[in-house]
Amino acid sequence: MIMEFKMNQKIAKGLTLIELLVAITILSIVSLSALSMSNLLIKQRLRSNQSELHLLISRARSDALTRNSRMTLCQLSPHNHCQQQWAGILSVFTDGNGNRSLDPQEAELYRIEIHPKVLIRWQGMKPTNSLHFSPSGITFVSNGTFTLCSQNNDEALKLIINRQGRIRTERSLQSCEI
């Protein structure tokens, strides 16, 4: 007669310390990756808006020269007047009379949309609600700077425009002051 001995096996109902440490490590790596991707997305959005604004300014200056006409860049109000904000949709239009308003006989040529989480400040030339190019492609007053920042980021990107309408870019590691 053969006797069978059944051993009393305990069923494990938890995680070992090693399994727990591995799970925490994996969770940490995934969390850091997500945070890194989020910061990368914010920086890319900022760079993208800087490039689009750079191109828009260049087009405005170029069209002022080729059309021999005044060009204005700003955010238009519902009544087609330049607003004080630099957000939402920015437009370039012919501005024959220099009133910084899109009149019925004038044409909107270009527009870009600034991401809602990107903040822009214009400092320099007056008035601060628009950038205006003469038919010779120069600005009317002096140098000016567009500063672009993200609401969640300390990095600031700048577009510096001299009186001749030439643009240079700059990256600032200082906190963004808008």
Side-chain angles (χ1 to χ4, degrees):
M1 177 159 127
I2 300 177
M3 275 186 153
E4 287 185 31
F5 290 100
K6 291 188 177 183
M7 298 187 88
N8 201 4
Q9 295 179 343
K10 292 184 180 178
I11 299 175
K13 291 187 177 185
L15 300 174
T16 66
L17 183 59
I18 301 272
E19 291 171 330
L20 187 59
L21 288 174
V22 168
I24 289 173
T25 302
I26 291 171
L27 186 62
S28 298
I29 290 170
V30 169
S31 304
L32 288 173
S33 298
L35 182 61
S36 176
M37 288 299 283
S38 174
N39 285 339
L40 185 63
L41 183 64
I42 289 168
K43 286 181 180 182
Q44 185 56 37
R45 181 184 307 136
L46 201 57
R47 284 187 209 115
S48 174
N49 278 157
Q50 180 194 33
S51 293
E52 290 173 345
L53 184 56
H54 188 286
L55 181 61
L56 192 67
I57 296 166
S58 296
R59 284 181 169 175
R61 180 178 183 270
S62 174
D63 278 4
L65 288 165
T66 57
R67 294 170 184 257
N68 196 29
S69 175
R70 293 180 188 187
M71 292 290 163
T72 298
L73 183 152
C74 68
Q75 180 188 18
L76 290 170
S77 72
H79 302 293
N80 289 332
H81 303 292
C82 287
Q83 297 190 119
Q84 195 60 41
Q85 302 98 318
W86 288 94
I89 296 174
L90 303 182
S91 301
V92 170
F93 57 92
T94 58
D95 195 5
N97 56 10
N99 66 352
R100 290 173 169 77
S101 293
L102 179 59
D103 298 323
Q105 70 277 13
E106 298 169 338
E108 181 181 23
L109 302 174
Y110 310 106
R111 59 175 32 199
I112 62 168
E113 186 168 353
I114 300 298
H115 192 278
K117 291 189 177 184
V118 172
L119 308 172
I120 300 178
R121 177 176 44 122
W122 170 245
Q123 187 175 13
M125 300 168 228
K126 301 289 183 186
T128 58
N129 67 342
S130 63
L131 175 58
H132 198 67
F133 289 101
S134 73
S136 60
I138 64 171
T139 62
F140 281 98
V141 183
S142 64
N143 298 345
T145 302
F146 280 106
T147 304
L148 290 86
C149 298
S150 176
Q151 290 176 343
N152 306 332
N153 197 347
D154 287 339
E155 183 180 17
L157 300 177
K158 295 182 178 187
L159 292 172
I160 301 162
I161 304 157
N162 67 18
R163 189 166 189 319
Q164 289 77 33
R166 304 249 194 302
I167 310 163
R168 70 179 172 90
T169 59
E170 188 177 290
R171 184 175 154 220
S172 175
L173 296 176
Q174 297 173 346
S175 63
C176 197
E177 299 167 9
I178 298 237

